[in-house]
């Protein structure tokens, strides 16, 4: 049963566009944003002059190496002489940009929004990982020189230990997502690999190995969102945003439960309540959980309450999350297969669900008919989560 | 004011660190490549929107108004160049006096969107013909 939430307008997605995700794209960040934006407008059948507001999502300035990245990207995002804003919640930004676009329309403020996400991870030297060096507490954590790989290795280890999960079971996520990505024309790392390939890949930070982890990517993604009256005028197949949720959990790493993503459970409950979903396992048809690491997809499936704690690997092994399964998960190929230009990767997940529900996902289209889909992202100091639920 | 007082190093608990990536390697993009190739041939290249006719300097691969792709590159004529504004810098970023003041000019072209910051040689003045003495970026220009 849907709860009584007072919104001025019902919101639909009517167009989307993406650039290819690649390691080192020649185009500048502004040009990447423009390519994605112009494709989204084209699919929506709108021109830039029809857009009332622009929302830009981009993660740390230090990736592209330009301070005030929102302002910098607005040129290629169609944001000049319009109310433009930038949202930033780390890795959760991509879905947050879509949520922000949603409330621009749902509030009645405007009828059409262009949501753009861009990230260029390749300029920083020696490696973009160095950008993350300064997100930690400067006194207590920074002296140990944490990086995202060893901090997640710690989380992965706790997750495995708590529920007795083996690396072979987790590696299946990487196998599935890279296989799905082979059908995605925008993907960077699609292909057929085996569990053994993952287990024999280079150990980066135990238990994280090379094929457990998403690549460094550049890329852009954009989406047009509109109020119901506009959506019905321009589209025969508007995809409705029925639920959104976002939450921040404790920002102290040492103080969080590493085995279970509580930050996501709260965000998911908010979105489920809005969408009137009581049993996510039965009611969701297709999902795009955030998967920068393979174990993270399982972690997030549990946080989304689709599987019980520690049981996502079992469902994965049974094929529930395969492209022809009960709840196909990351049919796009996810971050592991498509690539991980942070904010753009999050919005790519939303776009994947939009294309699935619209039935235009091409070779990525899941086998069963789908009516309700969910996309999710995760970030900040790894305690922020954003969830969006859409229906056709 | 407080910032003028001398601090006592070591009297407070402090933690020192730096915060930056070691370096960045940027790409100039397809339009940027045309622009920098042009400079090597002593040409200033802009790009022209075929829909609205607007010319951009530096060149862009898209028109910010029409949002269409731009594929036409045009060489800008120095006859159309003018100095939009200039300034003279007497101190460096650390507040130290420069031995020679530096002039910076904003170079623009009639009928063209955008412009370039250039080093300005000689005495800045209003009007006059622009001469480019060095096409290596950043450009050095003077006014005849």
């Amino acid at each position: 049963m849907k709860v009584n939430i007072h919104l001025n307008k019902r919101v639909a997605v009517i167009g989307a566009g993406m650039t290819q995700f690649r390691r080192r794209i020649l185009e500048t960040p502004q040009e990447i944003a423009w390519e994605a934006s112009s494709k989204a407008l084209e699919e929506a059948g709108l021109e830039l002059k029809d857009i009332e507001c622009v929302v830009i999502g981009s993660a740390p300035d230090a990736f592209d190496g330009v301070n005030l990245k929102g302002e910098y990207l607005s040129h290629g995002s169609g944001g000049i002489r319009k109310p433009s804003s930038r949202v930033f919640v780390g890795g959760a930004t991509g879905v947050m940009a879509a949520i922000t676009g949603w409330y621009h329309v749902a509030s009645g403020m405007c009828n059409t929004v262009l949501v753009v996400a861009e990230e260029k991870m390749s300029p920083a030297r020696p490696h973009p990982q160095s950008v993350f060096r300064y997100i930690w507490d400067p006194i207590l954590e920074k002296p140990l020189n944490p990086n995202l790989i060893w901090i997640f290795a710690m989380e992965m280890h706790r997750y495995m230990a708590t529920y007795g999960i083996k690396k072979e079971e987790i590696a299946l996520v990487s196998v599935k997502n890279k296989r799905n990505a082979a059908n995605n024309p925008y993907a960077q790392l699609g292909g057929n690999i085996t569990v053994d390939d993952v287990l024999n890949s280079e150990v980066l930070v135990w238990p994280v190995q090379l094929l457990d982890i998403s690549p460094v990517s550049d890329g852009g993604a954009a989406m047009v969102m509109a109020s119901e009256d506009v959506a019905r005028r321009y589209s025969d197949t508007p995809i409705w945003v029925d639920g959104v949720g976002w939450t921040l959990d404790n920002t102290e790493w040492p103080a969080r439960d590493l085995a279970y993503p509580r930050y996501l459970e709260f965000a998911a409950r908010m979105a489920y309540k809005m969408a009137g979903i009581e049993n996510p396992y039965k009611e969701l048809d297709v999902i795009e959980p955030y998967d920068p690491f393979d174990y993270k997809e399982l972690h997030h499936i549990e946080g989304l309450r689709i599987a019980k704690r520690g049981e996502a690997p079992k469902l994965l092994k049974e094929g529930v999350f395969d492209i022809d399964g009960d709840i196909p998960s990351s049919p796009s190929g996810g971050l592991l297969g498509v690539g991980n230009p942070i904010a753009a990767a999050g919005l790519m997940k939303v776009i994947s669900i939009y294309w699935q529900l619209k039935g235009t996902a091409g070779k990525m289209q899941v086998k069963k008919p789908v009516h309700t889909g969910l996309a999710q992202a995760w970030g900040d100091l790894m305690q922020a989560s954003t969830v969006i639920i859409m229906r056709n | 004011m407080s910032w003028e007082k001398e601090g006592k190093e070591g009297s407070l608990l402090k933690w020192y660190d730096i915060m930056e990536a070691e370096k960045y390697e940027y790409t100039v993009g397809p339009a940027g490549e045309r622009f920098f190739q042009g400079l090597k041939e002593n040409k200033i290249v802009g790009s022209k929107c075929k829909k609205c006719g607007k010319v951009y300097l530096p060149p862009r691969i898209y028109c910010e108004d029409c949002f269409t792709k731009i594929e036409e590159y045009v060489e800008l004529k120095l006859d159309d160049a003018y100095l939009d504004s200039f300034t003279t810098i007497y101190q460096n970023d650390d507040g130290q006096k420069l031995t020679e003041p530096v002039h910076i000019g904003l170079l623009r072209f009639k009928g063209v969107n955008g412009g370039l910051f250039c080093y300005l040689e000689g005495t800045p003045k209003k009007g006059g013909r622009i001469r480019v003495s060095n096409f290596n970026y950043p450009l050095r220009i003077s006014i005849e």
Side-chain angles (χ1 to χ4, degrees), chain A residues 24-28 30-31 34 37-38 41 47-48 62-65 75-78 80-81 114 120 123-126 130-131 133-134 138-139 142-143, chain B residues 13-33 51 54 56 59-70 73:
Chain A
R24 191 159 173 77
I25 290 181
L26 172 65
E27 277 76 6
T28 64
Q30 294 171 328
E31 291 166 346
W34 166 77
S37 305
S38 58
L41 286 171
E47 287 186 38
L48 183 58
F63 283 136
D64 296 60
H75 197 283
S77 307
I80 307 296
R81 294 182 291 277
L114 180 60
K120 197 161 188 185
R125 293 289 178 278
S130 60
V131 169
R133 214 182 280 159
Y134 307 99
I139 296 164
K142 172 64 181 50
Chain B
L13 276 175
K14 287 182 189 165
W15 202 275
Y16 295 95
D17 214 331
I18 50 153
M19 188 173 150
E20 58 199 11
E22 275 171 34
K23 62 172 181 176
Y24 282 93
E25 205 175 298
Y26 299 97
T27 56
V28 295
E33 296 211 337
K51 194 168 172 194
K54 230 174 255 140
Y56 288 94
R60 298 191 169 277
I61 63 164
Y62 59 87
C63 174
E64 68 172 73
D65 290 329
C66 309
F67 233 46
T68 46
K69 184 163 189 167
I70 297 184
Y73 291 87

Side-chain angles (χ1 to χ4, degrees), chain A residues 316-379:
Chain A
L316 174 70
K317 215 184 297 171
E318 289 168 6
V320 171
F321 304 124
D322 285 348
I323 196 119
D324 53 358
D326 279 353
I327 310 174
S329 178
S330 297
S332 64
L335 279 54
L336 288 165
V338 193
N340 190 6
I342 312 287
L347 193 57
M348 176 275 286
K349 293 219 146 226
V350 183
I351 291 172
S352 163
I353 294 297
Y354 159 69
W355 282 335
Q356 289 289 345
L357 294 174
K358 203 178 167 190
T360 56
K363 281 166 74 187
M364 295 178 277
Q365 191 72 41
V366 302
K367 300 288 172 277
K368 60 179 238 180
V370 286
H371 301 292
T372 306
L374 175 149
Q376 176 248 334
W378 157 75

Side-chain angles (χ1 to χ4, degrees), chain A residues 21 29 170 228 251 293 321 331 338 352-354 374 382-383 389:
Chain A
F21 286 7
I170 290 175
E228 182 165 11
T251 54
F293 292 72
F321 304 124
V338 193
S352 163
I353 294 297
Y354 159 69
L374 175 149
M382 311 346 130
Q383 84 292 27
I389 295 169

